[in-house]
Amino acid sequence: MNGNLGVRRQPTQARARARVEKILTAATELIEQTGADQLRMSEIAARAGVPIGSLYQYFPDKASVIRTLAERIMLRVREGLRESLVGVESAEDALDRLDGLLDGYYAMFLLEPVTRDIWSGTQSDKDIQDMDIEDSRENAQVVAEALKPFVPKKEHGRLDTVCFLLMQLTGAAVRLAIAVDRKEGDRLVAEYGRMLRLEYEAFLPDRS
């Protein structure tokens, strides 16, 4: 992933880093209250208690603030993915953990509506779309490496491709699920989880 895509000037001193954190916290609070579309740079500066000029030193526009928040969500998800797949002991163990990861990803969007609002503010942003694709690629690598010990070596190349595709589709499936009625969303995620498991199982001839 292209780290810190939205930040104009990288903060190096503790005081500057603290200021950037205040800016991002303020932006998150405002998005939670009114949504990403209504976010204004002047309101971010006022909420963070920083001069508007200082805000522009770090973030050239609203889109760059939202990009940075979205990138943090991506990194948080990947860190959770890595932690959850450490020490996989069997194919069945891997499948069960992957089931839990989908449920956890869906729960994050349900329990933290601001995460959904941040994501909705990025959908027309070409830079974010590119970052999302790279994020799916990196997440796919994590999943594929966890499964490869249980997959015939000749299938490893195809496994990489399928995991990449599934990671991208997972984001789309969960965003659809949170856009509809909760009961329907739950059904969509449950059905998508079954589809995912079937795709992974197809690579695992020996599940004993």
Side-chain angles (χ1 to χ4, degrees):
M1 181 187 298
N2 181 12
N4 298 302
L5 184 63
V7 181
R8 168 179 278 169
R9 191 182 97 188
Q10 294 299 323
T12 56
Q13 297 181 345
R15 183 177 178 183
R17 290 196 298 270
R19 177 168 285 184
V20 167
E21 289 304 317
K22 286 178 67 176
I23 290 168
L24 293 174
T25 297
T28 300
E29 291 171 352
L30 288 166
I31 291 171
E32 190 169 15
Q33 290 175 7
T34 61
D37 290 344
Q38 300 303 314
L39 191 65
R40 300 289 180 269
M41 294 293 274
S42 58
E43 293 177 353
I44 296 173
R47 174 68 68 96
V50 302
I52 189 70
S54 294
L55 174 57
Y56 281 113
Q57 280 185 327
Y58 298 108
F59 300 97
D61 50 29
K62 179 180 83 169
S64 65
V65 176
I66 295 174
R67 285 185 206 124
T68 301
L69 293 172
E71 183 179 31
R72 288 188 169 197
I73 293 169
M74 292 177 183
L75 290 173
R76 174 183 164 192
V77 169
R78 184 168 316 114
E79 287 168 5
L81 187 64
R82 286 194 178 113
E83 290 174 5
S84 296
L85 293 175
V86 169
V88 171
E89 297 180 352
S90 66
E92 197 66 33
D93 182 26
L95 292 170
D96 290 342
R97 295 193 197 195
L98 289 167
D99 287 344
L101 284 165
L102 175 62
D103 292 338
Y105 187 56
Y106 179 44
M108 181 184 75
F109 280 91
L110 290 174
L111 296 172
E112 302 175 28
V114 67
T115 303
R116 175 181 56 206
D117 294 336
I118 289 168
W119 195 255
S120 71
T122 69
Q123 294 310 290
S124 61
D125 189 312
K126 178 63 166 58
D127 287 334
I128 285 287
Q129 290 172 8
D130 292 342
M131 193 167 74
D132 182 43
I133 291 171
E134 184 58 28
D135 181 63
S136 293
R137 195 183 301 280
E138 293 188 31
N139 288 343
Q141 226 176 2
V142 176
V143 173
E145 289 307 311
L147 290 172
K148 281 179 180 177
F150 316 106
V151 173
K153 192 170 183 179
K154 65 180 181 179
E155 294 285 358
H156 284 191
R158 194 168 74 87
L159 176 65
D160 288 335
T161 300
V162 170
C163 285
F164 178 31
L165 177 60
L166 293 178
M167 290 301 100
Q168 187 68 19
L169 292 175
T170 295
V174 170
R175 287 193 288 276
L176 172 62
I178 61 175
V180 299
D181 174 81
R182 174 63 189 275
K183 288 184 178 179
E184 184 178 20
D186 289 351
R187 291 197 299 271
L188 288 170
V189 170
E191 191 59 44
Y192 182 70
R194 283 190 282 272
M195 291 167 60
L196 277 182
R197 193 174 180 98
L198 288 172
E199 288 294 328
Y200 291 133
E201 284 179 342
F203 285 98
L204 304 170
D206 181 8
R207 296 172 54 199
S208 58

